[in-house]
Amino acid sequence: MKLILTNEVSGLGAPGDVVEVKDGYGRNYLIPRGFAIRWTRGGEKQIESIKKARDAREIRDIGTAKEVAGQLGALKVKLATRAGDSGRLFGSVTTNDVADAVKAAGGPILDRRRIEIVNPIKSLGSHKITVKLHPEVSASVDVEVVAG
């Protein structure tokens, strides 16, 4: 099945890429979640606009990405959220919460789609989060989750 990616999919490609995947993977996972659209001649015209939007969001080069990674490594990010007496959170910390906390701590503005939270954050304490700034550069951010 031939698809046009609308979001970045790990191990598959970036927005605007035309990929060939198995029918079930495309029909049952990528299309329903909005990660891809079917390839058509009309859809081919959308590729250019998807790539322009990606370029506007993307950090231009590796040098800039390394500079931003250095800024993120030096940040002390505190995230205040509601928690119970035992230290468990009401809900979990989302990528939007992390992006807002980094911005409030004086860091760069991050795209929430670039933030990767491997295990859901559901407790107070210090947690390590990865941010993919560029295909070749990723940074880790220490986030201190405190009761607020």
Side-chain angles (χ1 to χ4, degrees), residues 4-7 14-18 37 41-58 113:
I4 301 169
L5 295 178
T6 56
N7 286 331
D17 291 349
V18 177
I37 55 175
R41 290 194 195 277
E44 188 81 27
K45 295 174 186 168
Q46 289 180 315
I47 291 175
E48 195 62 39
S49 65
I50 291 171
K51 286 187 178 182
K52 281 183 186 175
R54 179 180 74 185
D55 289 342
R57 282 193 312 266
E58 196 172 87
R113 293 176 288 254

Side-chain angles (χ1 to χ4, degrees), residues 31-145:
I31 294 173
R33 286 184 171 79
F35 293 147
I37 55 175
R38 289 187 185 273
W39 181 87
T40 59
R41 290 194 195 277
E44 188 81 27
K45 295 174 186 168
Q46 289 180 315
I47 291 175
E48 195 62 39
S49 65
I50 291 171
K51 286 187 178 182
K52 281 183 186 175
R54 179 180 74 185
D55 289 342
R57 282 193 312 266
E58 196 172 87
I59 295 177
R60 294 284 178 233
D61 58 355
I62 294 175
T64 310
K66 287 182 180 177
E67 182 180 311
V68 171
Q71 292 175 359
L72 289 174
L75 276 182
K76 301 286 186 215
V77 180
K78 278 196 173 188
L79 184 79
T81 186
R82 291 181 29 167
D85 294 333
S86 63
R88 287 198 42 88
L89 302 182
F90 297 127
S92 63
V93 174
T94 64
T95 56
N96 279 337
D97 297 336
V98 173
D100 293 341
V102 168
K103 184 179 173 187
I109 297 171
L110 297 175
D111 185 6
R112 67 173 176 79
R113 293 176 288 254
R114 300 274 183 212
I115 299 171
E116 296 176 351
I117 300 175
V118 179
N119 296 324
I121 299 173
K122 296 186 176 192
S123 62
L124 298 176
S126 182
H127 300 276
K128 199 170 264 314
I129 294 170
T130 305
V131 180
K132 285 196 69 130
L133 299 169
H134 192 270
E136 300 169 16
V137 178
S138 61
S140 63
V141 180
D142 288 321
V143 177
E144 181 75 27
V145 180

